C-alpha cells in the first residue's frame, strides 16, 4: 500500500498493460474458436446450372470423370463433372486378359445409361449389354428373352441392327439367311430381286435336320407335295435344269414337272423322278421315241438301222400300211418281203402284187 501511494502513475500503467493483455488474449481465443468451426458443406444430390446437371456425393464433392449408380440407375460424368447424355465412347474390356477396345454407350436425355435392352436411336435399332456397351460387328448374343434368332442378332460395325439384307448363317459361311425389317430371319417363301427363295421353317427343322431354321434352302426339297430345286445361289430354279447329269423341267411355279410336257413347241416326257426321258419309252401301253434332246419324235425315224413311223401323237405304228410302206409288229418297216399279196423292196416300198 505504501508503494502504491508513493508511485501511483507506475501502478496505473501496469494496470493498463494487464487489461490490454487480457483483451488481446480473449481476441486470439475467439479467432481460434472461429477457425475451429467446420467449413460450409454443399448439399448432396443433383445440382442444375444453366440447364446442365452435376451430382454432389455424400462427401460434398462433385462426381467427375466416372460413372456412378444413383437411385438404382447408372450415370456418367465428364472430367468437369457434367452429366453426359447421348453417345459416349471409352475403353471396353472385352476379355478376361484385360484386352480393351473402344466401345460405345448411350445415355438417355435424363442421363441414365441404356443397359441390357434394345434402343431405337434415329432410324436404327441398337442393343446394349448389361454393362451398357453397344454390341456390334456380325452375330452377337443378346439373350433368348429378347427378340432375336436363338438369342443372337446381326449388327453392323456401327452397331445398327442389320435389316432387309442377306447374311451368312451364324456358324457356316456356306448357308445364307435373309433378315427382315425386324432383324429376324425370313421363313417360308420370299421373293427378292425377282427371284423366289424358301427359308427353312421351324416346323421343317423339327422334321429334318438337313438345314437350320431360317436358312435359304439349297438342292432338292419337297414342299406342299411338289418337288423344287434351289441352286447354289439359293434361288428357286425354273425351266430346264441339268442336275447331276440329268435334265429336269421345273414349271413357272418352280414345281418339278412329270409326265408329258409341251415346252417350246415340242413334247417331252418326264419320268416319275422328274428325269427327262430319251429313247424308246412305253407310256400308257403305247411306244414313243424321244430324241437325244428329249423331244418326242413324229413321222419316219431311222433308229438303230431300221425305219419306224410315229403318228402325229408320237405313237409308234405297227402291223399296218403307212402309205406304200408296211410296218411290222415291232414297228420296224418291212423290206424285201411279201406282205400277203404285196411285195416291198429293199427300201420298204411296195413294188409288186402277186
Amino acid at each position: 500500500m505504501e508503494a502504491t501511494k508513493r508511485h501511483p502513475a507506475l501502478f496505473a500503467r501496469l494496470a493498463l498493460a494487464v487489461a490490454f493483455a487480457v483483451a488481446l488474449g480473449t481476441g486470439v481465443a475467439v479467432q481460434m474458436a472461429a477457425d475451429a468451426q467446420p467449413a460450409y458443406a454443399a448439399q448432396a444430390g443433383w445440382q442444375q446450372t444453366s440447364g446442365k446437371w452435376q451430382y454432389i456425393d455424400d462427401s460434398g464433392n462433385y462426381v467427375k470423370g466416372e460413372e456412378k449408380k444413383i437411385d438404382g440407375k447408372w450415370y456418367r460424368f465428364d472430367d468437369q463433372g457434367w452429366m453426359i447424355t447421348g453417345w459416349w465412347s471409352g475403353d471396353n474390356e472385352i476379355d478376361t486378359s484385360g484386352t480393351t477396345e473402344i466401345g460405345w454407350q448411350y445415355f438417355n436425355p435424363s442421363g441414365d445409361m441404356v443397359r441390357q435392352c434394345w434402343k431405337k436411336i434415329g432410324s436404327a435399332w441398337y442393343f446394349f449389354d448389361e454393362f451398357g456397351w453397344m454390341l456390334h460387328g456380325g452375330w452377337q448374343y443378346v439373350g433368348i428373352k429378347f427378340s432375336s434368332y436363338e438369342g443372337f442378332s446381326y449388327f453392323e460395325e456401327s452397331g445398327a441392327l442389320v435389316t432387309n439384307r442377306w447374311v451368312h448363317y451364324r456358324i457356316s459361311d456356306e448357308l445364307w439367311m435373309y433378315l427382315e425389317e425386324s432383324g429376324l430371319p425370313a421363313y417360308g417363301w420370299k421373293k427378292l430381286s425377282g427371284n423366289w427363295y424358301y427359308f427353312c421353317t421351324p416346323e421343317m427343322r423339327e422334321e429334318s435336320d438337313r438345314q437350320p431354321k431360317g436358312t435359304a434352302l439349297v438342292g432338292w426339297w419337297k414342299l406342299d407335295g411338289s418337288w423344287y430345286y434351289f441352286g447354289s445361289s439359293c434361288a428357286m430354279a425354273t425351266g430346264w435344269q441339268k442336275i447331276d447329269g440329268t435334265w429336269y423341267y421345273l414349271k413357272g411355279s418352280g414345281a418339278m414337272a412329270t409326265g408329258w410336257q409341251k415346252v417350246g413347241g415340242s413334247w417331252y416326257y418326264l419320268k416319275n423322278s422328274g428325269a427327262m426321258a430319251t429313247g424308246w419309252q412305253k407310256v400308257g401301253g403305247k411306244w414313243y421315241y424321244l430324241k437325244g434332246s428329249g423331244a418326242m419324235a413324229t413321222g419316219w425315224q431311222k433308229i438303230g438301222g431300221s425305219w419306224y413311223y410315229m403318228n402325229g401323237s408320237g405313237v409308234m405304228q405297227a402291223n399296218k400300211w403307212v402309205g406304200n410302206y408296211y410296218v411290222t409288229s415291232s414297228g420296224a418297216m418291212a423290206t424285201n418281203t411279201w406282205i400277203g399279196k404285196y411285195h416291198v423292196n429293199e427300201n420298204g416300198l411296195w413294188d409288186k402284187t402277186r
Side-chain angles (χ1 to χ4, degrees):
M1 289 293 293
E2 187 65 29
T4 303
K5 291 179 180 179
R6 292 178 183 177
H7 304 285
L10 176 61
F11 278 98
R13 288 196 297 271
L14 181 59
L16 181 61
V18 171
F20 180 77
V22 171
L24 180 62
T26 301
V28 171
V30 170
Q31 182 62 46
M32 289 176 64
D35 290 343
Q37 294 296 316
Y40 171 74
Q43 184 177 359
W46 290 102
Q47 178 175 300
Q48 187 179 35
T49 305
S50 301
K52 298 167 66 176
W53 289 92
Q54 294 175 299
Y55 190 81
I56 302 169
D57 62 21
D58 292 337
S59 64
N61 297 315
Y62 287 105
V63 179
K64 297 181 179 181
E66 63 176 315
E67 59 183 46
K68 184 173 180 62
K69 191 174 186 180
I70 303 169
D71 297 330
K73 296 181 179 180
W74 287 92
Y75 300 81
R76 183 173 289 278
F77 300 86
D78 65 18
D79 292 339
Q80 285 72 49
W82 298 112
M83 181 189 77
I84 291 172
T85 60
W87 289 105
W88 178 87
S89 65
D91 289 335
N92 176 23
E93 190 171 303
I94 59 176
D95 58 36
T96 56
S97 67
T99 303
T100 63
E101 67 173 10
I102 297 298
W104 288 89
Q105 294 178 318
Y106 188 83
F107 297 86
N108 288 316
S110 59
D112 57 304
M113 179 193 296
V114 178
R115 300 172 63 243
Q116 205 167 17
C117 67
W118 287 102
K119 175 79 174 177
K120 190 173 187 181
I121 303 171
S123 60
W125 283 95
Y126 300 82
F127 190 86
F128 299 85
D129 68 16
E130 60 183 316
F131 302 107
W133 295 107
M134 178 196 77
L135 302 186
H136 67 99
W139 288 108
Q140 299 293 336
Y141 186 73
V142 301
I144 57 174
K145 70 177 182 179
F146 296 102
S147 177
S148 61
Y149 173 73
E150 297 180 335
F152 288 83
S153 291
Y154 196 92
F155 300 92
E156 303 275 13
E157 281 298 330
S158 67
L161 177 69
V162 170
T163 62
N164 299 317
R165 203 175 84 191
W166 287 96
V167 300
H168 281 115
Y169 175 53
R170 187 171 62 84
I171 55 177
S172 173
D173 286 345
E174 296 180 359
L175 297 174
W176 289 88
M177 308 177 77
Y178 187 83
L179 302 181
E180 304 270 31
E181 182 67 29
S182 64
L184 297 174
Y187 293 111
W189 287 109
K190 190 168 184 67
K191 192 174 186 180
L192 299 166
S193 302
N195 293 313
W196 282 97
Y197 301 84
Y198 195 93
F199 298 88
C200 187
T201 64
E203 295 75 18
M204 291 173 64
R205 177 60 178 169
E206 291 175 2
E207 298 172 2
S208 170
D209 60 356
R210 285 179 60 189
Q211 286 192 210
K213 68 179 183 180
T215 57
L217 301 186
V218 179
W220 285 107
W221 286 84
K222 193 173 186 179
L223 305 170
D224 298 324
S226 297
W227 284 95
Y228 297 81
Y229 185 78
F230 302 89
S232 58
S233 69
C234 305
M236 181 193 77
T238 60
W240 287 109
Q241 299 291 329
K242 192 174 186 179
I243 303 167
D244 296 329
T246 301
W247 284 98
Y248 298 84
Y249 185 76
L250 294 310
K251 301 175 185 179
S253 65
M256 181 189 77
T258 59
W260 288 107
Q261 299 291 326
K262 191 174 185 179
V263 182
S266 296
W267 284 95
Y268 298 82
Y269 186 76
L270 294 309
K271 301 177 184 180
N272 289 338
S273 65
M276 182 190 77
T278 59
W280 288 108
Q281 299 292 327
K282 193 174 186 179
V283 182
K286 298 177 180 180
W287 285 97
Y288 299 82
Y289 186 79
L290 293 309
K291 301 176 184 179
S293 66
M296 182 188 75
T298 59
W300 287 105
Q301 301 290 328
K302 191 173 185 179
I303 304 166
S306 297
W307 284 93
Y308 298 82
Y309 185 80
M310 270 62 73
N311 66 13
S313 299
V315 178
M316 181 195 79
Q317 303 300 291
N319 294 322
K320 66 184 297 185
W321 287 96
V322 180
N324 291 325
Y325 300 86
Y326 188 82
V327 289
T328 65
S329 60
S330 69
M333 182 186 73
T335 60
N336 288 321
T337 190
W338 287 93
I339 310 297
K341 64 179 181 178
Y342 302 101
H343 184 267
V344 291
N345 63 19
E346 68 276 11
N347 296 317
L349 180 64
W350 166 47
D351 62 353
K352 55 184 177 182
T353 303
R354 61 185 176 185

